[in-house]
Amino acid sequence: MTDKLGLVLAVIVTAASVHDSTGGKRLLDELAASYPSVTKVWVDGGYQNSVFQHGASRGIDVEVVKRSTVKGFQPQKKRWVIERTFGWLMQNRRLVRDYEALPQRSRTMVHWAMANKTSRELTGETAPTWRIETGDSGNQT
């Protein structure tokens, strides 16, 4: 779960066999506990009515963002935010390779990756290059 800027608010890690709606309800519980001021959540079409009802019981309006009917690539309003966040997270090798054995550890690694991303943004730091700038174009005499 992210805010409008794509910054992570809540994370749960589940087995692949857990249905999106089950995970969605757990995520809404975590969001409501940590951020009681959140009253609106946008989701994709994979969630069932039980998620909407669960959100309503928590005081959160859950709304589905419909896909565009336009052919080809078209950034979707509101959906591109989470996709960009996934892109940021995938720059962290440990998240891409699934090295972690425990869900708690994976969750921590997501938070660590976002803390790293945020600190780089705040300091204006970019990823260091692997090239060594020598100023002499590499010519040795």
Side-chain angles (χ1 to χ4, degrees):
M1 183 87 53
T2 69
D3 64 7
K4 290 182 189 181
L5 298 175
L7 302 175
V8 172
L9 296 176
V11 177
I12 62 165
V13 178
T14 65
S17 60
V18 174
H19 192 276
D20 284 351
S21 291
T22 303
K25 288 187 255 183
R26 286 182 45 203
L27 196 54
L28 286 170
D29 288 341
E30 186 174 325
L31 181 71
S34 299
Y35 298 93
S37 62
V38 173
T39 59
K40 180 81 163 182
V41 172
W42 293 300
V43 298
D44 66 18
Y47 293 93
Q48 298 172 345
N49 281 337
S50 61
V51 174
F52 305 114
Q53 294 166 352
H54 190 75
S57 73
R58 293 289 195 173
I60 301 172
D61 178 28
V62 180
E63 179 185 329
V64 173
V65 177
K66 305 263 189 231
R67 290 182 184 242
S68 173
T69 56
V70 177
K71 296 272 188 188
F73 176 75
Q74 183 78 335
Q76 304 295 308
K77 287 184 178 181
K78 300 173 186 145
R79 288 178 64 129
W80 70 268
V81 174
I82 192 70
E83 298 300 336
R84 181 182 60 188
T85 301
F86 287 146
W88 289 338
L89 293 173
M90 292 302 104
Q91 292 176 353
N92 292 271
R93 185 173 176 84
R94 286 182 76 151
L95 293 175
V96 175
R97 299 292 178 198
D98 291 330
Y99 289 120
E100 312 309 331
L102 298 174
Q104 303 92 316
R105 180 73 176 161
S106 294
R107 182 176 182 264
T108 300
M109 292 307 298
V110 169
H111 285 292
W112 178 84
M114 284 306 298
N116 187 38
K117 163 73 174 135
T118 303
S119 67
R120 286 181 182 271
E121 288 288 325
L122 290 172
T123 61
E125 181 184 349
T126 59
T129 180
W130 58 271
R131 296 182 185 158
I132 299 173
E133 301 292 332
T134 61
D136 63 358
S137 301
N139 295 332
Q140 302 261 340
T141 56

